[in-house]
Amino acid sequence: MSEATLPTQSQGGAPKVSKISEAVIRIAGNSQDGIQAIGGFLARLAGRSEQEVMTFMTIPATISGGPSIFQVRIGSGEVLSSGDDADVLLAFYQHSYEGHIGSLKKGGIVLYDSDHVEAKPELQADYHHVGVPISGLTVEAIGGTAKDKGKNIFALGLIAKMFDLNVPKLEKLVGERFTGKDPSILNNALAAFHAGYSHSLGNVIETFKFVDAAKKNGHQVVMNGNEAIGFGLIAAGVRFGAGYPITPWSDIMELLRRELPKYGGTFVQCEDEIASISMAIGGSYGGRVAVTGSSGPGISLKTEALGWAVMAEIPLIVVDIQRGGPSTGMPTNVEQSDLNIACFGGHGDSPRVVIAPANVEDCFYMAIEAVNIARKYNVPVILISDQAIATRIEAFEEPNLEKVCQDITPDLTPVADHKPYDLSTADGVTARVVPGTRIESGKYPIATGLEHDEMGHPTGSPKLHTQMTAKRRKKLQALGASLPIPKLHGPSEGNVLLVGWGSTEGPIKEAVDRARAAGDSVSSIHIRHINPLPPGLENIFAGFNHVLVVEMNDEGLYGYGQLGGLLRARYGDSKIRGLNKTDGLTFKVKEIVEKARATVATGMRKM
Amino acid sequence: MSSTISAVPAPASEERKGLTKKEISADHPTWCPGCGDFSVLALYFKLIEKRKLWHEKITTVAGIGCSSRFPYFVQAHGVHYIHGRALPFASGISLSRPDLHLFVFGGDGDAFSIGGNHFNHTARKNIKLTYVVMDNWVYGLTKKQTSPTSPIGFKSKTDLTGALDQPINPMKQAIAAGATFVARTTHTNPNHVLQMMEAAMDHDGFSFIECLSECVEFYEGAFDSSNPRKGGVFNTVPADHDVTDEIAAYKLAGEPFPGHFGIFYKNTRPTKNANEQKIIAAAREKVNGLKDHQILQKTFDRLK
């Protein structure tokens, strides 16, 4: 809680009000307690107050129940990560209290449900303990009909009081949430909220008030990464898709199933992963880029069909929301271990595009970019995200939808002649003619997985296989040459360059800021286009003594991790080393700083 | 135009003549001389000629296998997809391009072994397309292994002393899975094949034809008892058979070979295509008149 000093007991009278610029609030309970709802309200309120916000959650892999947390970091300035340590812990149960008090800053406040939690005397010195009989008071406020229901909203009221949050805005958010339901549900929720809000926290702690956020241009929208991908695809003009349920991809499928009909489109739930990618490729073949997606094992199952789309040169979007692997692995934890399968999965030489959004806003825009790359180069594009970004809520500047929404309806105007696999273009890119298009020459194309001639008919010709293989590769090389060079965070010369991809952008940037403030010579870049890589990375690497690739995956047999291995293969630069971890949790800022220091300290011995 | 899943219609074209066999044929088939598949291809051409279908309106899809080479031999938009997955691929076309005539061709391995589950689900979803399985009771492309329809006792390279596993009964499978058009024919009776193809094409839903198609190389004579020219009998479905009677159809399907030929089962049930269009129509009504970006704006307004 920057700018806030350790809360002190006020000398009687009204509690002291401290101005703060940011706060990290961790809510710990069970997955059925609606703690995600509290976090969601706080995040949305921050978005409406022009504040920056980032959330982090863990959900158990069990169907119902099990410990779960939601952490929200709200700031009046830039918020890059969900925060290492919490300022306030809201604990519903003994296990929440004991399990998460360690994530609270020394001197932080633990707000606990004294109906379920027994505070430990030995912890009282380090943390301000505020016990409130949340469960009992909620029942008192709204009647004891629904067991435990509403205590999350009661707790939201407590937090609103503590941080002097905007009550009318919160009431409006609660109202919107329960619109269309039985009015008594909304009434109960508001009753619980006010009961929490008006409950005296006693005089043990001060209350806080956020300093005003810098005025932002326009409005902010608040959503998680999966929603941003879903809406980005819709904006891009995607109107057909197919999928199979798997965590954490399913939300995107559900969103598209719900939203696409409004735009005249549809999304099909298939019998399996193979059927879903096949149906999506069929949809794309029909003319408009289609989407499929999955997580973990589902991606493995899709690889044969993906290779077909590469061979037949059919555009396609495959969304991969990574989770812990291999096999069923850790379904609700984060990992970045699908990079290799995304870039190389499948048999044969099958170049495809892999791009990775760095934050929630990026999910929206990269979904559009994915569609446009797929259309231009007639190639499958894997949009690789992960569990952390998928479930993380951020506020970002509302896109200009009129400008970004595009129409990708296929054009069926007759053509004189068409070669689907024309070898005469220098960059290997051939325009596509979709079924329904009359070809006046009377010669029609075949989309095929067999090696083929320029019309798509099978060939065993060594020369053609060489030429066609090169064609499929050259398209991606052309794309690579056109990509923007990643921007450096920090000076272009120094001792250490941190290289990241995907959801780690925020923590890496914050680690650079923190390390630089401590006198370290560190910069970072974030790679959003992974296959092909953007040009000019070698020049960036040349400015540093150490290049550390920060990834949530194993260092691998040779010690470089997945992107690290790719960069080593590409640049043959022995400065490139891995900074990896596999605990299924997002990087903390201090973890990156400490690991980077330790890795640099070991020198270049580890080769 | 962005508001429908189908494509921009081509400009209204002049009166056009139906295609000739020459115009509709492409590569010379790679099949062995005498293969039953030739006859299915010839009758597909005949169907296109007779029904005056145009090149650009036909899409021919296949998986992998001898019979699945089919699209290369047809001069029209075509797809040669991966093994066993032709049906979900074709479903993607069917659901997004209602303006196309969609025909899927494949063999017994593609349909009932590697693609077995897709067969069930495409039937269950009642997706509008025609699926012709050229059943030869053997894996031909890979040179004589047991197929899911090989009869018990059939000797192959993978069943040296004869096939052990109960063969799949394609007709029973189709009926049980919810196919709304289930027919059986054989390559040795061209008129009957054409008749079945026409009826299948006209059916609004998933139409399935099992067409016996002899592999002269690896299972010669398999279907002789259904061929009057080889001393067999070709019996059509009894005139009093009620095609809407599922139990009667199932009974027909259970007859010992050569059994009957014709339409075993046919009923009408809303297609997936129609059901999805209904959902779309209801959703479109609520956003009546709004442009795509305005619809999305409304959603974003709720995310503030």
Side-chain angles (χ1 to χ4, degrees):
Chain A
M1 207 161 358
S2 43
E3 292 175 32
T5 50
L6 198 73
T8 50
Q9 191 163 347
S10 54
Q11 304 301 311
K16 182 181 155 211
V17 178
S18 302
K19 285 265 182 185
I20 53 169
S21 65
E22 65 154 62
V24 178
I25 303 165
R26 177 175 286 216
I27 306 150
N30 285 338
S31 73
Q32 296 299 298
D33 291 334
I35 60 178
Q36 291 166 30
I38 316 180
F41 285 131
L42 293 174
R44 201 143 283 173
L45 177 70
R48 287 189 183 177
S49 309
E50 299 180 334
Q51 284 163 321
E52 294 228 350
V53 62
M54 191 178 287
T55 70
F56 160 73
M57 63 192 276
T58 64
I59 35 174
T62 50
I63 294 157
S64 171
S68 170
I69 71 147
F70 197 104
Q71 181 163 312
V72 54
R73 183 184 188 183
I74 300 171
S76 300
E78 194 178 24
V79 167
L80 292 170
S81 76
S82 55
D84 286 4
D85 297 315
D87 299 300
V88 174
L89 170 67
L90 171 59
F92 283 113
Y93 304 102
Q94 195 68 25
H95 65 75
S96 335
Y97 170 73
E98 287 174 16
H100 293 282
I101 193 122
S103 68
L104 192 59
K105 272 179 197 152
K106 286 277 157 65
I109 300 162
V110 53
L111 189 59
Y112 61 93
D113 184 348
S114 54
D115 287 336
H116 290 292
V117 179
E118 202 176 312
K120 298 203 159 192
E122 66 270 27
L123 295 171
Q124 309 260 2
D126 285 339
Y127 309 100
H128 287 269
H129 278 66
V130 182
V132 177
I134 296 175
S135 301
L137 290 173
T138 306
V139 172
E140 243 172 62
I142 63 174
T145 46
K147 184 177 169 278
D148 277 4
K149 278 267 160 61
K151 69 178 186 182
N152 60 333
I153 307 290
F154 181 93
L156 180 68
L158 287 176
I159 291 171
K161 180 73 172 183
M162 186 182 278
F163 288 95
D164 191 20
L165 300 178
N166 187 317
V167 171
K169 277 185 183 172
L170 272 172
E171 284 175 335
K172 192 159 178 280
L173 279 165
V174 173
E176 286 166 17
R177 161 111 178 174
F178 297 108
T179 301
K181 297 196 172 146
D182 184 341
S184 71
I185 296 176
L186 174 59
N187 291 339
N188 274 346
L190 289 175
F193 175 77
H194 287 291
Y197 190 79
S198 51
H199 178 76
S200 170
L201 293 171
N203 59 0
V204 278
I205 50 159
E206 61 185 334
T207 59
F208 307 96
K209 190 170 176 56
F210 286 100
V211 298
D212 287 340
K215 195 86 185 149
K216 292 216 163 62
N217 300 322
H219 292 288
Q220 293 200 102
V221 281
V222 182
M223 62 183 83
N224 67 33
N226 272 359
E227 289 172 312
I229 288 177
F231 292 126
L233 292 169
I234 289 172
V238 171
R239 295 291 178 267
F240 186 78
Y244 186 78
I246 187 166
T247 303
W249 138 264
S250 298
D251 312 342
I252 299 182
M253 172 168 101
E254 290 158 12
L255 182 149
L256 292 171
R257 177 72 188 157
R258 182 180 76 233
E259 298 293 326
L260 275 179
K262 296 182 192 168
Y263 304 84
T266 193
F267 194 97
V268 181
Q269 179 180 337
C270 290
E271 60 270 28
D272 61 36
E273 297 283 359
I274 300 172
S276 37
I277 186 170
S278 297
M279 205 177 281
I281 301 173
S284 272
Y285 169 80
R288 208 192 303 247
V289 180
V291 60
T292 187
S294 195
S295 299
I299 296 295
S300 304
L301 283 164
K302 290 184 191 296
T303 51
E304 186 201 1
L306 184 78
W308 186 89
V310 171
M311 187 64 148
E313 301 194 37
I314 304 295
L316 177 73
I317 306 300
V318 181
V319 178
D320 178 4
I321 310 296
Q322 299 170 94
R323 59 188 221 183
S327 190
T328 311
M330 302 223 284
T332 58
N333 284 79
V334 66
E335 203 160 274
Q336 294 179 303
S337 51
D338 286 358
L339 189 86
N340 282 342
I341 193 176
C343 295
F344 308 114
H347 61 279
D349 290 307
S350 57
R352 81 294 303 267
V353 178
V354 181
I355 62 177
N359 52 53
V360 171
E361 182 178 22
D362 214 20
C363 284
F364 180 79
Y365 290 104
M366 286 204 101
I368 301 173
E369 186 181 356
V371 172
N372 290 337
I373 291 172
R375 290 175 71 203
K376 181 167 178 191
Y377 296 93
N378 291 320
V379 69
V381 177
I382 299 180
L383 184 63
I384 190 167
S385 174
D386 64 42
Q387 186 271 346
I389 242 180
T391 57
R392 181 164 104 191
I393 298 171
E394 288 178 39
F396 61 91
E397 191 184 324
E398 180 172 36
N400 180 342
L401 294 177
E402 187 170 5
K403 216 168 122 195
V404 299
C405 284
Q406 54 187 32
D407 182 358
I408 57 168
T409 309
D411 179 5
L412 301 186
T413 309
V415 296
D417 206 0
H418 175 62
K419 282 183 185 168
Y421 306 106
D422 191 347
L423 285 169
S424 67
T425 58
D427 60 3
V429 180
T430 322
R432 221 161 66 81
V433 161
V434 305
T437 311
R438 187 176 179 189
I439 298 172
E440 280 148 2
S441 66
K443 302 283 179 216
Y444 282 80
I446 301 286
T448 175
L450 275 173
E451 191 55 283
H452 42 261
D453 63 17
E454 289 180 288
M455 286 306 292
H457 287 262
T459 179
S461 152
K463 187 178 165 198
L464 272 171
H465 183 47
T466 307
Q467 288 176 325
M468 287 293 172
T469 304
K471 176 187 195 294
R472 294 184 285 268
R473 180 230 310 140
K474 281 193 288 189
K475 293 196 295 188
L476 264 66
Q477 289 171 319
L479 167 65
S482 74
L483 292 172
I485 300 169
K487 285 195 188 78
L488 269 150
H489 181 68
S492 59
E493 284 182 4
N495 190 33
V496 179
L497 177 72
L498 299 178
V499 180
W501 66 280
S503 66
T504 55
E505 186 199 41
I508 291 174
K509 273 185 163 174
E510 204 170 325
V512 167
D513 295 346
R514 195 179 291 182
R516 292 193 68 80
D520 293 329
S521 168
V522 188
S523 298
S524 71
I525 55 166
H526 212 68
I527 300 184
R528 296 159 67 248
H529 303 90
I530 292 170
N531 201 47
L533 286 164
L537 291 181
E538 59 273 49
N539 299 331
I540 295 175
F541 295 166
F544 297 87
N545 300 321
H546 302 272
V547 175
L548 304 184
V549 187
V550 181
E551 298 180 85
M552 293 181 281
N553 55 37
D554 189 48
E555 63 175 47
L557 297 187
Y558 309 110
Y560 314 123
Q562 299 197 5
L563 179 62
L566 186 66
L567 293 176
R568 276 235 163 189
R570 166 68 181 82
Y571 298 103
D573 189 339
S574 59
K575 286 189 303 206
I576 300 170
R577 288 184 292 158
L579 194 165
N580 307 76
K581 73 160 191 167
T582 55
D583 57 6
L585 303 172
T586 52
F587 267 113
K588 285 187 174 180
V589 173
K590 67 172 176 233
E591 242 179 334
I592 299 173
V593 173
E594 284 163 12
K595 280 194 183 213
R597 283 183 187 143
T599 309
V600 169
T602 63
M604 303 293 283
R605 288 190 303 273
K606 188 174 152 192
M607 290 285 189
Chain B
M1 257 313 158
S2 60
S3 56
T4 70
I5 45 174
S6 57
V8 173
S13 54
E14 73 287 11
E15 234 356 76
R16 283 159 70 186
K17 276 187 254 165
L19 299 170
T20 63
K21 188 189 167 196
K22 196 179 162 199
E23 286 170 317
I24 198 70
S25 54
D27 293 2
H28 183 76
T30 44
W31 297 316
C32 310
C35 175
D37 294 353
F38 280 104
S39 140
V40 182
L41 179 66
L43 292 156
Y44 186 48
F45 290 157
K46 194 148 254 175
L47 174 80
I48 292 164
E49 279 180 70
K50 187 175 171 196
R51 300 298 294 269
K52 295 200 171 165
L53 305 182
W54 297 336
H55 287 131
E56 71 272 18
K57 288 291 177 197
I58 313 159
T59 304
T60 316
V61 181
I64 296 296
C66 287
S67 56
S68 292
R69 286 292 179 118
F70 213 93
Y72 296 116
F73 316 140
V74 183
Q75 192 59 267
H77 290 284
V79 181
H80 187 219
Y81 195 51
I82 59 176
H83 197 19
R85 326 293 176 188
L87 281 179
F89 187 103
S91 301
I93 306 175
S94 175
L95 292 170
S96 55
R97 290 296 303 276
D99 56 321
L100 303 174
H101 294 285
L102 205 51
F103 296 91
V104 185
F105 291 91
D108 35 307
D110 212 49
F112 308 120
S113 203
I114 187 166
N117 201 31
H118 305 311
F119 180 76
N120 289 336
H121 286 270
T122 312
R124 172 174 87 87
K125 287 184 156 82
N126 198 23
I127 288 173
K128 171 136 181 63
L129 58 86
T130 296
Y131 189 27
V132 181
V133 174
M134 291 123 96
D135 189 356
N136 61 8
W137 294 359
V138 67
Y139 279 84
L141 192 67
T142 47
K143 303 190 194 306
K144 205 176 190 176
Q145 295 85 15
T146 304
S147 118
T149 50
S150 299
I152 289 174
F154 170 65
K155 286 182 182 164
S156 77
K157 288 177 186 161
T158 47
D159 269 315
L160 301 176
T161 57
L164 305 168
D165 307 328
Q166 172 78 21
I168 274 167
N169 181 321
M171 306 300 282
K172 282 187 172 177
Q173 186 111 342
I175 297 161
T180 51
F181 179 102
V182 183
R184 183 166 180 256
T185 186
T186 171
H187 74 104
T188 50
N189 192 331
N191 287 337
H192 193 261
V193 173
L194 182 62
Q195 211 185 319
M196 292 302 109
M197 278 194 187
E198 276 201 82
M201 179 182 133
D202 291 335
H203 176 72
D204 186 21
F206 178 66
S207 49
F208 165 64
I209 301 172
E210 183 201 17
C211 180
L212 303 178
S213 181
E214 186 179 342
C215 176
V216 290
E217 199 66 33
F218 300 115
Y219 205 154
E220 201 180 1
F223 309 130
D224 280 0
S225 62
S226 68
N227 184 357
R229 286 194 297 278
K230 297 275 175 75
V233 286
F234 177 87
N235 287 326
T236 53
V237 167
D240 62 351
H241 171 66
D242 176 3
V243 293
T244 63
D245 183 342
E246 199 175 315
I247 305 296
Y250 206 76
K251 274 190 186 147
L252 271 185
E255 287 177 350
F257 196 83
H260 288 84
F261 294 90
I263 300 170
F264 281 35
Y265 184 67
K266 181 176 180 339
N267 75 4
T268 47
R269 172 160 70 79
T271 58
K272 171 95 174 157
N273 310 58
N275 284 333
E276 292 294 335
Q277 286 305 320
K278 238 191 225 171
I279 291 175
I280 290 171
R284 297 290 290 165
E285 209 182 287
K286 284 190 191 152
V287 294
N288 192 22
L290 292 184
K291 293 197 168 82
D292 288 355
H293 72 87
Q294 292 167 324
I295 304 170
L296 192 52
Q297 187 64 59
K298 280 181 83 169
T299 306
F300 272 31
D301 288 344
R302 287 198 299 272
L303 294 170
K304 286 174 190 163

